[in-house]
Amino acid sequence: MTVCIFDIKRFAVHDGPGIRTTVFFKGCPLNCWWCHNPEGISPEIEHFTEEIEFDGITLNKELTVGRWIKVNDLMEELEKDRIFMEESGGGVTFSGGEPLMQHEAVFALLKLCSEAGIHTAVDTSGLVSEHILQQATELADLILYDLKSLDDKIHQEFTGVSNKKILNNLEITLKGQARVILRFPMVAGFNDKPADHNQLLAYLEGLENLDQVDILPYHPFGTQKYNRFNKKNRQNGFGIPSKEKINSLRDELINAGFAVNIGG
Ligand code: SF4
């Protein structure tokens, strides 16, 4: 069995507990305007030509994003970092894109990691079939569940999809076996208004089995990728949320009984 990935990040500290190796899968059903991994949205392997200025000369550099790798070979790669995972209480995180778009390979990897005693996390957009999410909660130790906005109109405008299934799936995921951490990407100009946070808080307080929320403040680090990979950059109008707004939401969540991390 093979899987299409576009990156493996070693020594990741924001994708779950401890030091982790994060695998980025190609393909995502959403198309968020602020996405910092735009090269992960298409499920296909992509080819680009990058122009590089060198000593007054313009050079063309061919880039390929994505590669197919056998599940067993990927597992061998992951095993190389075992010492760091064990020492730090870390593990492996499957991210993307949306890793569960390639659920059969992800499930095979989750089983292999479990047999090898490696802690696993799946970072999901939540927009997959219910039965796939249910199975993920049976096989993974941790689900990192991204929720972007409670306002469906805004959600549709800036992610390309409705949030209805995502919200429904969150409630199903919370009934599963894996621990769930909710991740809220906070983007100035999209979801950083007090009304957005009140709506989020009211919704989260009504959920059962959720005890931790990670606030992920937007950063513009991915901006140069839009030029590099010849993608349309729609981030104008978005920005880094203010410290005051981040801290205000953090305090409200803590007062409501949630453990909160900023930055995951
Ligand atoms: S869900 Fe994540 S990977 Fe997919 S488009 Fe949105 S930000 Fe990018």
Side-chain angles (χ1 to χ4, degrees):
M1 187 185 297
T2 56
V3 61
C4 189
I5 63 172
F6 66 95
D7 202 4
I8 297 176
K9 184 169 78 178
R10 303 200 138 88
F11 309 113
V13 292
H14 295 297
D15 296 327
I19 296 174
R20 310 191 70 82
T21 300
T22 302
V23 183
F24 293 88
F25 289 70
K26 275 287 246 163
C28 185
L30 279 69
N31 194 343
C32 305
W33 285 32
W34 62 87
C35 182
H36 58 277
N37 286 326
E39 75 277 36
I41 294 176
S42 166
E44 310 290 338
I45 291 176
E46 295 171 281
H47 302 279
F48 303 98
T49 303
E50 184 181 28
E51 286 191 351
I52 302 172
E53 296 292 330
F54 177 71
D55 207 15
I57 304 168
T58 304
L59 302 172
N60 285 338
K61 184 179 168 194
E62 302 304 320
L63 298 172
T64 298
V65 176
R67 65 181 162 119
W68 288 98
I69 183 169
K70 286 185 185 157
V71 162
N72 286 344
D73 291 343
L74 179 52
M75 197 58 210
E76 267 181 39
E77 283 291 307
L78 299 175
E79 283 275 7
K80 289 179 190 164
D81 302 331
R82 175 186 277 279
I83 183 78
F84 302 105
M85 299 173 193
E86 286 178 353
E87 289 292 319
S88 66
V92 169
T93 299
F94 299 116
S95 182
E98 169 53 68
L100 294 176
M101 275 180 73
Q102 300 183 63
H103 61 276
E104 287 181 8
V106 170
F107 292 162
L109 286 159
L110 289 171
K111 284 178 193 160
L112 288 170
C113 286
S114 173
E115 284 162 19
I118 295 174
H119 180 275
T120 52
V122 174
D123 182 10
T124 181
S125 65
L127 193 60
V128 291
S129 302
E130 288 172 26
H131 72 275
I132 291 174
L133 262 177
Q134 272 164 343
Q135 209 172 334
T137 69
E138 286 164 21
L139 294 171
D141 296 303
L142 174 65
I143 303 287
L144 302 169
Y145 199 104
D146 299 349
L147 179 58
K148 285 131 181 122
S149 174
L150 269 298
D151 184 322
D152 195 28
K153 194 163 166 278
I154 297 286
H155 196 282
Q156 287 190 40
E157 183 175 352
F158 292 107
T159 72
V161 299
S162 166
N163 65 10
K164 286 198 172 69
K165 189 172 177 63
I166 293 167
L167 294 174
N168 187 50
N169 278 347
L170 172 58
E171 292 172 32
I172 289 165
T173 307
L174 286 166
K175 291 186 182 131
Q177 290 172 25
R179 174 166 158 65
V180 178
I181 297 177
L182 187 115
R183 310 227 295 179
F184 179 66
M186 191 168 164
V187 185
F190 169 61
N191 62 3
D192 68 332
K193 298 183 294 304
D196 299 319
H197 298 168
N198 292 341
Q199 207 177 6
L200 177 72
L201 207 64
Y203 175 71
L204 296 185
E205 283 183 301
L207 295 175
E208 287 179 15
N209 301 329
L210 181 69
D211 59 15
Q212 182 169 336
V213 179
D214 290 350
I215 301 170
L216 310 180
Y218 167 84
H219 57 72
F221 302 153
T223 304
Q224 61 175 12
K225 289 186 179 180
Y226 285 85
N227 292 336
R228 192 167 184 223
F229 300 127
N230 200 19
K231 308 267 182 196
K232 189 175 175 197
N233 186 349
R234 299 166 295 176
Q235 294 182 86
N236 279 347
F238 292 146
I240 301 168
S242 69
K243 272 201 173 131
E244 291 71 28
K245 285 186 176 173
I246 296 169
N247 291 342
S248 164
L249 177 61
R250 178 200 61 196
D251 293 347
E252 285 181 86
L253 287 163
I254 289 172
N255 288 340
F258 296 103
V260 181
N261 279 328
I262 295 174

